[in-house]
Amino acid sequence: RLGYVLANAGIDHSNVSASGESEDVLLLPHDPDRTCAELRQNIRILNGEDVGIIISDSHGRAWRNGTVGVAIGEAGVN
């Protein structure tokens, strides 16, 4: 839907629980830019700071070693 080609369809289980025992999963936000804008506004309301927000994910490629960080949403970042 967002144009990203992801392993596991953008569903992450690897770092949701500190113990690794949880069956919870983390999904990508429906509108990452809007989510970043909302987080940015809430931080501004709570402590008066004007910060930039980036939601990122690590992407790997089949048959390749390593990963690369990719920004999937942003607000307040030039």
Side-chain angles (χ1 to χ4, degrees):
R1 180 178 47 81
L2 296 171
Y4 301 106
V5 178
L6 304 169
N8 304 318
I11 300 170
D12 190 358
H13 182 267
S14 65
N15 57 1
V16 176
S17 157
S19 68
E21 300 292 324
S22 171
E23 292 188 22
D24 294 334
V25 296
L26 182 66
L27 304 176
L28 293 174
H30 289 289
D31 184 343
D33 288 336
R34 187 179 82 201
T35 300
C36 287
E38 290 169 355
L39 288 168
R40 183 173 185 231
Q41 181 178 359
N42 288 337
I43 290 171
R44 188 179 307 127
I45 290 168
L46 290 172
N47 66 14
E49 297 296 326
D50 188 23
V51 299
I53 302 288
I54 297 173
I55 294 177
S56 66
D57 195 6
S58 54
H59 290 197
R61 298 290 305 246
W63 304 290
R64 305 272 175 126
N65 292 327
T67 60
V68 62
V70 176
I72 60 171
E74 66 81 25
V77 179
N78 293 329

